Amino acid sequence: MCACCLLLLAWLPFLRASQNETDLQAIESARHVLQERPDSESSTFSLASLYLKVGRNQDAIQLLQSYLQSQPMSAKALRLLATAYLRKEDYAAAKETAEKALKAGTRDSTAVELLAMSELGLQESDAAERHFLEALKLNSKSIEANYQLGLLYTKQHKALNEAVRLLQTARRIQPDLTGIDTALGAALLGAGNVSQAVDALEIATKTAANKPESYYLLATAYRRLNQPEKADAALASFNALKKADADRRAREMRGKADYEEGVNLLSNSDQLELAYTALSKALEELPDFDAAYYRIAQVSYLKGDLPEALTSIRRAIKLNPFEPEYYFVLARCLQDNDSKAALEAIDNAINLRPGVQDFEDLSRELKSKLTAKPPA
């Protein structure tokens, strides 16, 4: 690996941490602006968009639902809400909300696309196709409509030449679109353009090397070109990736089962050691499972082992810096020895999820402690 690549890899953790900190600061700033102007449309949408950016979809939903109580015909709020429902895979709610957005405002491509995406999630393929076509009439350069309609045609094995055209359009507009080379390769292969399919799929195996579908399609294309050695190599990669994927799913199932056992045991103070053991087993299967570190921090806190509780909760936050409950536990761990750091932690929790009584109570307690005069 070249020196530049090594330098970039060394900087990546710092860059991710810096971005997380920037996002947290942006959420804090947006929330303060909204507090000063609670009826502001732009402030509401700014904070909701930030919540969506960092994956706080439920917080975005609650914020937008609250806004819609006073502004029920806000098309933009309804579009953002439909987006949040799609992120949570609540397709029925997303469809209903997208339909409301279309009734509330002009019939724009974004709202029509949201409706089509909801219908895809509900397996309403004919309706989704109709609405993607409508979205393209409204905006022929829509990346989402071109990509999703091309993908739909490819999966249905119909209008494959049109699928190729749609996917090529999406790729031309956004070359690094996730999954585009695999989708284009599949469409080209289905349309009989085998050599072009190989070109697209070879790119796919380089840009998304852990996706088995690309290798399977590439093996099929090589066989059609009478290149058995390349086909066998691609198929071997496919089988290896499928096995790795199956192993990963098995680890996830075991880890989630151990995690659920630990959470159930956590409710009984007499079984904290058993809870700790179960949660530790979950982490053996899933070393980056942030929720398991969070629960271990809770167990350690209840056992009075603050050093381990702090280590675990900080690990959880490093893995997922946008979960407010993690900052609450961090504040609890710090409140007796470092009130200032504890207050910073609970402020992060409140910024991510305002209005939680436990968060507000701890914040007041820490502020009172910090402002109290020392005894004479």
Side-chain angles (χ1 to χ4, degrees), residues 179-197:
I180 187 63
D181 292 303
T182 300
L184 181 57
L188 287 163
L189 190 60
N193 301 321
V194 183
S195 295
Q196 293 179 54

Side-chain angles (χ1 to χ4, degrees), residues 16-71:
R16 285 193 291 267
S18 299
Q19 184 59 54
N20 291 337
E21 184 177 348
T22 299
D23 289 335
L24 285 171
Q25 290 172 349
I27 289 172
E28 180 181 5
S29 176
R31 200 174 73 81
H32 287 161
V33 170
L34 186 59
Q35 284 179 326
E36 295 173 0
R37 296 182 293 168
D39 296 327
S40 168
E41 179 182 84
S42 61
S43 299
T44 300
F45 296 161
S46 176
L47 181 56
S49 297
L50 283 167
Y51 281 147
L52 289 173
K53 178 185 177 184
V54 302
R56 301 301 309 167
N57 301 317
Q58 188 58 41
D59 291 328
I61 288 171
Q62 292 173 353
L63 176 62
L64 292 164
Q65 285 176 334
S66 177
Y67 179 80
L68 285 164
Q69 289 178 0
S70 60
Q71 301 291 335

Side-chain angles (χ1 to χ4, degrees), residues 52-235:
L52 289 173
K53 178 185 177 184
V54 302
R56 301 301 309 167
N57 301 317
Q58 188 58 41
D59 291 328
I61 288 171
Q62 292 173 353
L63 176 62
L64 292 164
Q65 285 176 334
S66 177
Y67 179 80
L68 285 164
Q69 289 178 0
S70 60
Q71 301 291 335
M73 298 302 290
S74 170
K76 186 171 182 179
L78 288 165
R79 288 196 297 269
L80 279 173
L81 183 58
T83 301
Y85 282 133
L86 278 174
R87 294 275 189 88
K88 288 178 66 68
E89 299 183 1
D90 187 346
Y91 300 117
K95 179 180 178 180
E96 180 183 355
T97 307
E99 289 173 336
K100 288 180 180 178
L102 287 167
K103 292 177 182 177
T106 57
R107 202 165 182 89
D108 69 340
S109 63
T110 300
V112 176
E113 286 169 20
L114 289 169
L115 178 56
M117 291 296 294
S118 305
E119 290 163 339
L120 272 185
L122 293 169
Q123 306 296 313
E124 299 172 1
S125 300
D126 290 343
E129 178 186 357
R130 185 171 67 255
H131 285 120
F132 279 130
L133 286 169
E134 180 183 351
L136 285 171
K137 287 182 180 179
L138 293 166
N139 178 13
S140 63
K141 294 183 179 180
S142 166
I143 298 171
E144 195 68 34
N146 277 288
Y147 176 66
Q148 292 296 341
L149 185 57
L151 194 59
L152 178 61
Y153 285 157
T154 302
K155 289 180 177 179
Q156 292 178 333
H157 302 286
K158 74 174 191 179
L160 289 169
N161 288 326
E162 177 63 5
V164 169
R165 187 191 70 79
L166 291 164
L167 293 167
Q168 286 175 333
T169 299
R171 192 177 188 279
R172 185 167 57 252
I173 298 170
Q174 186 174 329
D176 61 348
L177 185 63
T178 301
I180 187 63
D181 292 303
T182 300
L184 181 57
L188 287 163
L189 190 60
N193 301 321
V194 183
S195 295
Q196 293 179 54
V198 166
D199 292 340
L201 292 166
E202 284 179 342
I203 293 173
T205 59
K206 294 173 183 175
T207 57
N210 61 338
K211 301 296 183 183
E213 182 187 5
S214 301
Y215 288 95
Y216 183 83
L217 291 167
L218 185 57
T220 302
Y222 281 142
R223 289 205 186 282
R224 291 189 186 178
L225 292 176
N226 196 26
Q227 297 180 12
E229 291 184 1
K230 288 186 175 181
D232 289 343
L235 190 59

